[in-house]
Amino acid sequence: MINNKIIALKILFTSFFRRLKLVGAKKKYIAYIGGHGHDNYGDDVMFNILSKYLDGEGYKLITIHSYGIEKALKYFRLSGPSFFEKIILGGGTLINDMWFYKVESLINLDVPIVSLGTGVGSCGLEQNKHIDFLKWESVLNTFEEVNVRGAISKERLLTIGVKSNIVGDLALLNGKSEIIKASRKKIVLNLMNIKEYNDFWESLIPKIKSLAENGWEVIPLILNPIDYDYTKTYFEKLNIKSDFSLVKDERQFLDIIDGASFSICVRLHGAVLTTLENIPTILFGYRDKCLDFMGSIEQERFYLNVDSLSKEQFHIDELLEELMDFDSNFKVRKTINTEILKHKKNITLHLKEIL
């Protein structure tokens, strides 16, 4: 308890002096609620992409803290409606039990709030697969707009009487117009250590090893520090030596995926970030947030729900063959690109409406 108070005081003082320096500047300020700032590159990317966009529109994006901290800052006119134009509930999958009380309390700042590409459901291993959303009804009905990641999120909110718009994952704001054909026999592999499901991706080791022996590069994509040790062990079983650096910035990420034909991912944002570059992905869905995203870009057939498959049914040979063929691979890229640019336009339009 004492440690939490000390941490809160440090955040309060740091935020006070940072925001005080902004007083009198020409920019306007938007508050952001998201899962960023914890060494998870996927969540950080969403904040950075939105921040860059808003900067071009004359706004600065600022991380908003707990209601207690923001209430104290509001006293000095460094939070609340005298400081922030809007609050954006961003990504990733935040409409669940874990984020409810923070969002509910921050409504008391009396700043207009919208969601933008937010997922509805379990955010991951730290939560059960099934979430009770009923208590979100009164909170979301105070939002100016509710914009969600995909059809699953939209349908869930309809069950509690909340209407929403599908705009895609917030990261799609950075969608690329140019479609480049696959130029190398290269596979990007993104993994997580999930004891309940490890048998699935470990059953692919002989297949991946065979591809490597036939001239395919297999490169690790590590987006979270907790995935490092498992990924390294997996590649030792593949007998593939590689660079196991944790992705920390866009340049490093782009170097890893450069020229890749496709990716195989376990983490949702492994799939989001590779498809953002129009690279096809096979995504192993350990939570239905994964299907929510893949459905939003018409890639359901490359989604494998490990909850509804037995290990004996877990075959991806047909998917691999389609993506290893450069012509059919390019067709998949065009589909991805069309859907991503559609969502990018949609997110941009909603941003222009709320600013």
Side-chain angles (χ1 to χ4, degrees):
M1 183 69 74
I2 293 175
N3 284 341
N4 289 342
K5 287 183 177 179
I6 292 171
I7 291 169
L9 282 171
K10 285 181 178 178
I11 294 172
L12 174 60
F13 283 117
T14 301
S15 299
F16 176 85
F17 288 110
R18 280 180 180 170
R19 293 187 194 179
L20 191 62
K21 290 179 182 178
L22 299 174
V23 174
K26 293 181 180 179
K27 286 188 179 292
K28 297 177 181 179
Y29 306 117
I30 304 287
Y32 182 82
I33 304 171
H36 60 297
H38 301 286
D39 288 327
N40 187 334
Y41 181 69
D43 287 329
D44 291 345
V45 162
M46 286 182 283
F47 177 84
N48 294 334
I49 288 171
L50 182 59
S51 183
K52 184 178 179 181
Y53 174 86
L54 290 174
D55 186 64
E57 298 293 318
Y59 294 85
K60 181 174 178 58
L61 191 64
I62 297 175
T63 299
I64 198 168
H65 303 293
S66 69
Y67 176 65
I69 291 171
E70 296 300 330
K71 185 180 178 182
L73 291 168
K74 185 180 178 183
Y75 179 80
F76 298 99
R77 299 180 66 80
L78 297 175
S79 187
S82 61
F83 190 80
F84 290 120
E85 299 282 319
K86 286 282 192 299
I87 297 173
I88 292 178
L89 176 64
T93 310
L94 306 183
I95 299 179
N96 51 45
D97 294 344
M98 189 174 291
W99 290 85
F100 174 76
Y101 295 105
K102 179 172 185 174
V103 177
E104 180 192 41
S105 61
L106 287 171
I107 287 171
N108 294 316
L109 288 176
D110 296 321
V111 179
I113 183 168
V114 300
S115 69
L116 200 62
T118 315
V120 181
S122 172
C123 63
L125 299 178
E126 54 269 68
Q127 286 190 305
N128 292 327
K129 295 170 190 174
H130 305 292
I131 305 293
D132 178 12
F133 307 101
L134 188 58
K135 60 188 174 186
W136 277 89
E137 179 185 2
S138 59
V139 171
L140 291 174
N141 280 327
T142 67
F143 279 41
E144 285 191 336
E145 278 192 3
V146 180
N147 303 301
V148 297
R149 179 191 286 135
I152 292 175
S153 293
K154 181 182 177 72
E155 288 163 11
R156 284 203 170 127
L157 294 187
L158 280 175
T159 66
I160 59 170
V162 176
K163 294 181 180 179
S164 61
N165 310 300
I166 298 173
V167 299
D169 192 278
L170 180 53
L172 302 188
L173 182 61
N174 203 35
K176 308 297 190 299
S177 298
E178 186 180 10
I179 312 173
I180 301 172
K181 280 192 173 183
S183 59
R184 290 160 64 180
K185 292 174 67 175
K186 175 177 173 180
I187 303 166
V188 172
L189 184 58
N190 165 252
L191 298 163
M192 283 178 72
N193 182 6
I194 311 175
K195 292 180 181 178
E196 184 181 353
Y197 302 117
N198 284 350
D199 283 353
F200 286 98
W201 29 98
E202 288 177 8
S203 71
L204 298 177
I205 287 174
K207 183 69 180 180
I208 297 172
K209 189 182 287 188
S210 173
L211 292 174
E213 290 168 353
N214 282 281
W216 283 84
E217 295 176 78
V218 184
I219 309 295
L221 175 64
I222 307 174
L223 301 174
N224 192 305
I226 65 174
D227 302 334
Y228 181 89
D229 289 340
Y230 181 75
T231 302
K232 198 167 185 296
T233 300
Y234 193 99
F235 271 75
E236 286 170 358
K237 292 177 182 178
L238 291 172
N239 198 27
I240 296 175
K241 293 182 180 179
S242 191
D243 178 9
F244 294 97
S245 298
L246 173 69
V247 175
K248 293 188 175 179
D249 57 50
E250 186 179 24
R251 182 69 265 159
Q252 186 184 12
F253 172 74
L254 293 176
D255 285 345
I256 289 170
I257 66 166
D258 181 48
S261 290
F262 60 94
S263 68
I264 301 173
C265 298
V266 179
R267 278 198 178 275
L268 169 59
H269 271 97
V272 173
L273 296 173
T274 51
T275 54
L276 197 55
E277 303 297 327
N278 299 316
I279 295 173
T281 189
I282 297 171
L283 179 60
F284 303 145
Y286 70 98
R287 290 290 187 270
D288 57 17
K289 62 179 183 176
C290 301
L291 179 58
D292 200 30
F293 171 71
M294 292 295 273
S296 75
I297 58 168
E298 295 192 1
Q299 294 296 293
E300 296 98 322
R301 76 181 188 281
F302 293 105
Y303 166 82
L304 294 170
N305 183 352
V306 291
D307 278 326
S308 63
L309 290 170
S310 67
K311 209 165 68 168
E312 290 71 35
Q313 296 171 309
F314 190 73
H315 299 299
I316 66 170
D317 286 6
E318 287 185 16
L319 300 179
L320 289 173
E321 285 173 15
E322 182 175 353
L323 296 182
M324 287 190 292
D325 178 84
F326 288 125
D327 289 333
S328 59
N329 183 293
F330 189 60
K331 288 179 182 177
V332 175
R333 288 173 183 245
K334 287 195 288 185
T335 300
I336 291 170
N337 180 258
T338 297
E339 295 307 310
I340 285 178
L341 292 184
K342 189 189 300 180
H343 288 309
K344 178 179 181 176
K345 181 180 179 181
N346 209 353
I347 294 170
T348 303
L349 287 173
H350 281 282
L351 276 169
K352 290 188 181 301
E353 286 176 6
I354 66 177
L355 295 178

